[in-house]
Amino acid sequence: MFSLKKPSKQKKKPKKTKYQKKKTKQRFGRKKQKAKKNQKTKKLIFEKRLPDDLRIHVNTPAIHKVLGNLIDNAIKYSLEGGKIALSAEKEGDFCRMTVTDNGIGISEKDLPHVFERFYRADKARSRHMGGTGLGLAIVKHLVQAHGGEVEARSELGQGSQFSFTLPLAE
Ligand SMILES: Nc1ncnc2c1ncn2[C@@H]1O[C@H](COP(=O)(O)OP(=O)(O)OP(=O)(O)O)[C@@H](O)[C@H]1O
Ligand SMILES: [Mg+2]
């Protein structure tokens, strides 16, 4: 069970080996550092709209990975002074979580392919950005494994909106 507002209180100690624990910690640390650096240099504004009362059944580390990848993209493909919003809302028996940015956007031609493994829109641009083109393929796989679906909307030069659904807990 995963509450949107209080993830830290829900945390159970994972049974992992020492080696895995260290690795996860290191990787998370690096991500946070990178995000912070980007946040500072790009002067991004973050907004959150998360209701208290939505509860979902999830594997918490997997959903953190999903949100991490989407937010990582939003930061990476934003311009200076950009705005990134994270929101959640009820949609029937599902919770829809959405990450919105007003960054560089994705063309109509590239948009249907962004969840494919190794697909990167605008190859020349992507080379400078770093990354492998696996982030969204992982997002799609993890969300579907939880019984949800992913969706991407975007307009070149205007921004992007990535969202996914997860079944609500009864
Ligand atoms: N928020 C976004 N704004 C603009 N383009 C995006 C956004 N998110 C994804 N894309 C496009 O979709 C492509 C695929 O995204 P994905 O996260 O799978 O790969 P990546 O970010 O290039 O690399 P990785 O996630 O493996 O570090 C990106 O290369 C980029 O062209
Ligand atoms: Mg990515």
Side-chain angles (χ1 to χ4, degrees), residues 73-74 76-77 101 104-106 114 119-121 125-126 130-137 160 162:
N73 282 348
K76 194 153 85 168
Y77 303 110
D101 67 66
I104 59 175
I106 303 163
V114 290
Y119 193 90
R120 311 190 72 197
R125 189 192 70 195
S126 300
T132 50
L134 278 174
L136 288 177
S160 311
F162 283 84

mmCIF file of all heavy atoms in Angstrom, residues 73-74 76-77 101 104-106 114 119-121 125-126 130-137 160 162, ligand 1:
data_model
loop_
_atom_site.group_PDB
_atom_site.id
_atom_site.type_symbol
_atom_site.label_atom_id
_atom_site.label_comp_id
_atom_site.label_asym_id
_atom_site.label_seq_id
_atom_site.Cartn_x
_atom_site.Cartn_y
_atom_site.Cartn_z
ATOM 1 N N ASN A 73 13.276 13.134 -16.828
ATOM 2 C CA ASN A 73 13.055 13.616 -18.201
ATOM 3 C C ASN A 73 12.561 15.053 -18.198
ATOM 4 O O ASN A 73 13.018 15.881 -18.987
ATOM 5 C CB ASN A 73 12.021 12.748 -18.914
ATOM 6 C CG ASN A 73 12.606 11.435 -19.395
ATOM 7 O OD1 ASN A 73 13.818 11.249 -19.401
ATOM 8 N ND2 ASN A 73 11.746 10.517 -19.787
ATOM 9 N N ALA A 74 11.591 15.334 -17.332
ATOM 10 C CA ALA A 74 11.005 16.684 -17.288
ATOM 11 C C ALA A 74 12.098 17.716 -17.020
ATOM 12 O O ALA A 74 12.126 18.790 -17.643
ATOM 13 C CB ALA A 74 9.912 16.752 -16.230
ATOM 14 N N LYS A 76 15.411 17.232 -17.535
ATOM 15 C CA LYS A 76 16.392 17.188 -18.630
ATOM 16 C C LYS A 76 15.910 17.953 -19.866
ATOM 17 O O LYS A 76 16.681 18.625 -20.532
ATOM 18 C CB LYS A 76 16.618 15.716 -18.977
ATOM 19 C CG LYS A 76 17.805 15.431 -19.842
ATOM 20 C CD LYS A 76 18.349 14.030 -19.604
ATOM 21 C CE LYS A 76 17.608 13.005 -20.432
ATOM 22 N NZ LYS A 76 18.297 11.691 -20.429
ATOM 23 N N TYR A 77 14.622 17.851 -20.165
ATOM 24 C CA TYR A 77 14.102 18.459 -21.393
ATOM 25 C C TYR A 77 13.370 19.776 -21.142
ATOM 26 O O TYR A 77 12.514 20.180 -21.911
ATOM 27 C CB TYR A 77 13.227 17.449 -22.146
ATOM 28 C CG TYR A 77 13.995 16.177 -22.461
ATOM 29 C CD1 TYR A 77 13.709 14.975 -21.819
ATOM 30 C CD2 TYR A 77 15.049 16.194 -23.376
ATOM 31 C CE1 TYR A 77 14.443 13.814 -22.079
ATOM 32 C CE2 TYR A 77 15.785 15.054 -23.646
ATOM 33 C CZ TYR A 77 15.474 13.868 -22.995
ATOM 34 O OH TYR A 77 16.211 12.735 -23.256
ATOM 35 N N ASP A 101 5.537 19.259 -18.003
ATOM 36 C CA ASP A 101 6.594 20.282 -18.114
ATOM 37 C C ASP A 101 6.276 21.212 -19.272
ATOM 38 O O ASP A 101 5.457 20.884 -20.134
ATOM 39 C CB ASP A 101 7.975 19.617 -18.307
ATOM 40 C CG ASP A 101 8.119 18.902 -19.643
ATOM 41 O OD1 ASP A 101 8.116 19.582 -20.683
ATOM 42 O OD2 ASP A 101 8.236 17.655 -19.655
ATOM 43 N N ILE A 104 10.938 21.460 -24.053
ATOM 44 C CA ILE A 104 11.124 21.476 -25.510
ATOM 45 C C ILE A 104 10.055 20.715 -26.294
ATOM 46 O O ILE A 104 9.882 20.932 -27.476
ATOM 47 C CB ILE A 104 12.525 20.948 -25.898
ATOM 48 C CG1 ILE A 104 12.710 19.511 -25.386
ATOM 49 C CG2 ILE A 104 13.625 21.845 -25.327
ATOM 50 C CD1 ILE A 104 14.019 18.879 -25.846
ATOM 51 N N GLY A 105 9.363 19.779 -25.630
ATOM 52 C CA GLY A 105 8.287 19.058 -26.308
ATOM 53 C C GLY A 105 8.794 17.990 -27.270
ATOM 54 O O GLY A 105 10.011 17.818 -27.473
ATOM 55 N N ILE A 106 7.856 17.251 -27.863
ATOM 56 C CA ILE A 106 8.172 16.121 -28.749
ATOM 57 C C ILE A 106 7.320 16.263 -30.006
ATOM 58 O O ILE A 106 6.127 16.578 -29.923
ATOM 59 C CB ILE A 106 7.844 14.780 -28.040
ATOM 60 C CG1 ILE A 106 8.605 14.680 -26.708
ATOM 61 C CG2 ILE A 106 8.168 13.582 -28.929
ATOM 62 C CD1 ILE A 106 8.066 13.638 -25.753
ATOM 63 N N VAL A 114 8.109 7.089 -28.260
ATOM 64 C CA VAL A 114 8.993 7.402 -27.122
ATOM 65 C C VAL A 114 9.060 6.304 -26.052
ATOM 66 O O VAL A 114 10.018 6.255 -25.290
ATOM 67 C CB VAL A 114 8.660 8.766 -26.449
ATOM 68 C CG1 VAL A 114 9.034 9.918 -27.361
ATOM 69 C CG2 VAL A 114 7.209 8.837 -26.012
ATOM 70 N N TYR A 119 14.643 4.364 -28.124
ATOM 71 C CA TYR A 119 14.171 5.432 -29.021
ATOM 72 C C TYR A 119 14.462 6.789 -28.400
ATOM 73 O O TYR A 119 14.139 7.040 -27.250
ATOM 74 C CB TYR A 119 12.672 5.304 -29.299
ATOM 75 C CG TYR A 119 12.242 6.198 -30.446
ATOM 76 C CD1 TYR A 119 12.266 5.727 -31.754
ATOM 77 C CD2 TYR A 119 11.852 7.516 -30.214
ATOM 78 C CE1 TYR A 119 11.909 6.558 -32.817
ATOM 79 C CE2 TYR A 119 11.487 8.349 -31.273
ATOM 80 C CZ TYR A 119 11.519 7.857 -32.558
ATOM 81 O OH TYR A 119 11.172 8.669 -33.612
ATOM 82 N N ARG A 120 15.070 7.655 -29.177
ATOM 83 C CA ARG A 120 15.331 9.008 -28.690
ATOM 84 C C ARG A 120 14.964 9.987 -29.786
ATOM 85 O O ARG A 120 15.451 9.893 -30.912
ATOM 86 C CB ARG A 120 16.800 9.156 -28.311
ATOM 87 C CG ARG A 120 17.265 7.999 -27.427
ATOM 88 C CD ARG A 120 18.617 8.245 -26.840
ATOM 89 N NE ARG A 120 18.534 9.265 -25.819
ATOM 90 C CZ ARG A 120 19.579 9.938 -25.345
ATOM 91 N NH1 ARG A 120 20.765 9.693 -25.849
ATOM 92 N NH2 ARG A 120 19.430 10.836 -24.413
ATOM 93 N N ALA A 121 14.091 10.916 -29.453
ATOM 94 C CA ALA A 121 13.665 11.913 -30.441
ATOM 95 C C ALA A 121 14.850 12.822 -30.735
ATOM 96 O O ALA A 121 15.616 13.153 -29.826
ATOM 97 C CB ALA A 121 12.501 12.713 -29.878
ATOM 98 N N ARG A 125 20.362 16.054 -30.885
ATOM 99 C CA ARG A 125 20.133 16.750 -29.621
ATOM 100 C C ARG A 125 20.322 15.794 -28.445
ATOM 101 O O ARG A 125 20.944 16.113 -27.452
ATOM 102 C CB ARG A 125 18.694 17.302 -29.624
ATOM 103 C CG ARG A 125 18.392 18.217 -28.492
ATOM 104 C CD ARG A 125 16.911 18.463 -28.416
ATOM 105 N NE ARG A 125 16.191 17.288 -27.983
ATOM 106 C CZ ARG A 125 14.889 17.118 -28.101
ATOM 107 N NH1 ARG A 125 14.166 18.022 -28.694
ATOM 108 N NH2 ARG A 125 14.312 16.040 -27.628
ATOM 109 N N SER A 126 19.770 14.578 -28.608
ATOM 110 C CA SER A 126 19.812 13.598 -27.531
ATOM 111 C C SER A 126 21.239 13.227 -27.169
ATOM 112 O O SER A 126 21.533 12.926 -26.020
ATOM 113 C CB SER A 126 19.063 12.330 -27.932
ATOM 114 O OG SER A 126 17.728 12.622 -28.205
ATOM 115 N N GLY A 130 22.931 12.992 -22.948
ATOM 116 C CA GLY A 130 23.283 11.784 -22.204
ATOM 117 C C GLY A 130 22.061 10.913 -22.013
ATOM 118 O O GLY A 130 20.936 11.350 -22.283
ATOM 119 N N GLY A 131 22.274 9.676 -21.571
ATOM 120 C CA GLY A 131 21.148 8.752 -21.390
ATOM 121 C C GLY A 131 21.158 7.693 -22.472
ATOM 122 O O GLY A 131 21.927 7.778 -23.438
ATOM 123 N N THR A 132 20.270 6.704 -22.309
ATOM 124 C CA THR A 132 20.301 5.564 -23.224
ATOM 125 C C THR A 132 19.000 5.390 -24.005
ATOM 126 O O THR A 132 18.946 4.598 -24.932
ATOM 127 C CB THR A 132 20.540 4.268 -22.431
ATOM 128 O OG1 THR A 132 19.609 4.244 -21.357
ATOM 129 C CG2 THR A 132 21.942 4.190 -21.894
ATOM 130 N N GLY A 133 17.960 6.081 -23.610
ATOM 131 C CA GLY A 133 16.666 5.883 -24.265
ATOM 132 C C GLY A 133 15.905 4.708 -23.685
ATOM 133 O O GLY A 133 15.014 4.143 -24.330
ATOM 134 N N LEU A 134 16.239 4.348 -22.445
ATOM 135 C CA LEU A 134 15.552 3.217 -21.804
ATOM 136 C C LEU A 134 14.549 3.656 -20.744
ATOM 137 O O LEU A 134 13.680 2.884 -20.349
ATOM 138 C CB LEU A 134 16.586 2.287 -21.150
ATOM 139 C CG LEU A 134 17.263 1.288 -22.087
ATOM 140 C CD1 LEU A 134 18.362 0.544 -21.344
ATOM 141 C CD2 LEU A 134 16.241 0.303 -22.656
ATOM 142 N N GLY A 135 14.683 4.902 -20.284
ATOM 143 C CA GLY A 135 13.860 5.379 -19.163
ATOM 144 C C GLY A 135 12.369 5.127 -19.343
ATOM 145 O O GLY A 135 11.714 4.540 -18.476
ATOM 146 N N LEU A 136 11.826 5.526 -20.478
ATOM 147 C CA LEU A 136 10.373 5.403 -20.684
ATOM 148 C C LEU A 136 9.943 3.957 -20.937
ATOM 149 O O LEU A 136 8.819 3.575 -20.600
ATOM 150 C CB LEU A 136 9.913 6.311 -21.832
ATOM 151 C CG LEU A 136 9.912 7.811 -21.524
ATOM 152 C CD1 LEU A 136 9.510 8.607 -22.751
ATOM 153 C CD2 LEU A 136 8.986 8.136 -20.354
ATOM 154 N N ALA A 137 10.837 3.142 -21.522
ATOM 155 C CA ALA A 137 10.512 1.724 -21.721
ATOM 156 C C ALA A 137 10.358 1.047 -20.356
ATOM 157 O O ALA A 137 9.446 0.232 -20.145
ATOM 158 C CB ALA A 137 11.606 1.049 -22.543
ATOM 159 N N SER A 160 5.445 18.871 -22.464
ATOM 160 C CA SER A 160 4.992 17.479 -22.486
ATOM 161 C C SER A 160 4.243 17.143 -21.217
ATOM 162 O O SER A 160 4.443 17.747 -20.168
ATOM 163 C CB SER A 160 6.185 16.523 -22.598
ATOM 164 O OG SER A 160 7.045 16.922 -23.631
ATOM 165 N N PHE A 162 3.312 13.537 -19.280
ATOM 166 C CA PHE A 162 3.376 12.081 -19.176
ATOM 167 C C PHE A 162 2.532 11.656 -17.987
ATOM 168 O O PHE A 162 2.670 12.204 -16.891
ATOM 169 C CB PHE A 162 4.823 11.614 -18.969
ATOM 170 C CG PHE A 162 5.628 11.640 -20.237
ATOM 171 C CD1 PHE A 162 6.242 12.810 -20.665
ATOM 172 C CD2 PHE A 162 5.750 10.506 -21.021
ATOM 173 C CE1 PHE A 162 6.972 12.836 -21.848
ATOM 174 C CE2 PHE A 162 6.469 10.522 -22.208
ATOM 175 C CZ PHE A 162 7.075 11.683 -22.611
HETATM 176 N N1 LIG B 1 9.579 15.442 -20.893
HETATM 177 C C1 LIG B 1 10.097 15.276 -22.117
HETATM 178 N N2 LIG B 1 10.219 16.340 -22.957
HETATM 179 C C2 LIG B 1 10.738 16.193 -24.218
HETATM 180 N N3 LIG B 1 11.178 15.023 -24.717
HETATM 181 C C3 LIG B 1 11.077 13.934 -23.932
HETATM 182 C C4 LIG B 1 10.554 13.999 -22.599
HETATM 183 N N4 LIG B 1 10.575 12.762 -22.071
HETATM 184 C C5 LIG B 1 11.097 11.967 -23.025
HETATM 185 N N5 LIG B 1 11.409 12.664 -24.147
HETATM 186 C C6 LIG B 1 11.951 12.121 -25.421
HETATM 187 O O1 LIG B 1 11.728 10.714 -25.423
HETATM 188 C C7 LIG B 1 12.980 10.031 -25.563
HETATM 189 C C8 LIG B 1 12.916 8.742 -24.749
HETATM 190 O O2 LIG B 1 12.922 9.043 -23.363
HETATM 191 P P1 LIG B 1 13.653 8.064 -22.351
HETATM 192 O O3 LIG B 1 13.457 8.570 -20.962
HETATM 193 O O4 LIG B 1 13.200 6.680 -22.662
HETATM 194 O O5 LIG B 1 15.187 8.149 -22.779
HETATM 195 P P2 LIG B 1 16.321 9.223 -22.409
HETATM 196 O O6 LIG B 1 15.812 10.220 -21.422
HETATM 197 O O7 LIG B 1 16.827 9.746 -23.702
HETATM 198 O O8 LIG B 1 17.456 8.310 -21.762
HETATM 199 P P3 LIG B 1 17.422 7.621 -20.322
HETATM 200 O O9 LIG B 1 16.074 7.804 -19.718
HETATM 201 O O10 LIG B 1 17.729 6.197 -20.595
HETATM 202 O O11 LIG B 1 18.479 8.334 -19.545
HETATM 203 C C9 LIG B 1 14.041 11.025 -25.115
HETATM 204 O O12 LIG B 1 15.272 10.781 -25.734
HETATM 205 C C10 LIG B 1 13.449 12.351 -25.550
HETATM 206 O O13 LIG B 1 13.747 12.582 -26.906
#
